[in-house]
Amino acid sequence: MITLTTYKWVPDFAAPLMRAFRVRWALEEAGIPYNVRLVALGPEQRSPEHLARQPFGQAPAIEDDGLVLHESGAIALYIAEHSEKLMPHNRVGAARATAWVFSALNSIENAVQELGSIIFFHKDAAWAKERRPQVEQFIRLRFGQLAEALGDKDYLEGDFTVGDLMMSDVLRIIDSTHLIDEFPTLKAYKARCEARPAFKRAMAAQMEGFAPAP
Ligand SMILES: N[C@@H](CCC(=O)N[C@@H](CS)C(=O)NCC(=O)O)C(=O)O
C-alpha cells in the first residue's frame, strides 16, 4: 500500500495548503487507499531517514512497493498513471494532461507562490509593500491567459484530469487575496474542481491528520 509522508503539525494557515494535499486528492480520485506517516518539522525533518525520502527535507513523499518518490507533481503523475479518472488512456490526451501539470507548477505556482510568500511571511515589510503590485500584475497576466485557454470548457481538456487537479490546487495558494474574483470563469473552474467528492474527502483527511498546535 502507498505510504504518504507529510508533517505532524504546520501553522494553521498552511494546513489546507500543504503540497501533501494534492497527493491525497489524487489518491482519492483514483480510489487508491493509503497510509500516512507523520514527520515533525525540525530535527526529524532533517534526519537521514527523512532525507532519504525527500532530498530537501520537505513533504510530501511517497513509498510504494519499493519505490520512494518526492515532488508533488511527480507523485501526482505517478498516481494518475493508475487511474483513467486522472489520465486519459491515449497518448495525446496523456501528453496534454501532463503539460497542464507542468504549467500549473512552472507557470502559475511560481507566480502565486511569490504573492503567498509576501502575504504569509512578509506582509508588513517595506520591500514587500513595494513589490506586491508588480507580483499581482503578473498574476493577473497569467490568470487572464489561463482563463483564455480554459474558454467555456468545464476543465482544461474538457474532462477532468490530473492537470486540473494540479492547476486548481495551485490557485488555492492565494485564496485569501480574492484576486481570482477578477476572472469569473477561472473562479467557477476552481469551484468546480473543489466541489468534487474526492477533493472534499482529501481535505477532510488532511485537516483531521494534524495534531493540535503544541
Ligand atoms: N516542490 C516541492 C515543494 C514541497 C514543499 O515546499 N513542501 C513544503 C510543505 S507544503 C515544505 O516541506 N516546507 C518546509 C521546507 O521547505 O523546509 C513539491 O511540490 O513537492
Side-chain angles (χ1 to χ4, degrees), residues 16 18 38 45 76 89 92 101 105-106 139 165 170 173 199:
M18 293 252 331
L38 297 175
Q45 178 194 5
H89 275 196
V92 171
V101 171
L105 296 172
N106 292 340
I139 293 172
L165 182 152
V170 158
I173 294 172
F199 176 99

Side-chain angles (χ1 to χ4, degrees), residues 4-77:
L4 164 67
T5 299
T6 182
Y7 293 130
K8 212 170 265 179
W9 177 86
V10 292
D12 286 351
F13 81 84
L17 300 177
M18 293 252 331
R19 268 78 174 168
F21 172 75
R22 306 162 178 179
V23 176
R24 291 183 188 269
W25 186 8
L27 288 163
E28 289 288 349
E29 290 283 354
I32 299 174
Y34 62 100
N35 294 318
V36 175
R37 176 193 292 109
L38 297 175
V39 167
L41 288 166
E44 191 182 0
Q45 178 194 5
R46 291 186 287 273
S47 67
E49 291 76 19
H50 186 60
L51 290 174
R53 294 177 208 118
Q54 216 295 359
F56 307 103
Q58 297 182 312
I62 63 159
E63 287 144 82
D64 184 27
D65 199 17
L67 167 74
V68 183
L69 197 60
H70 65 291
E71 281 299 331
S72 59
I75 299 170
L77 286 169

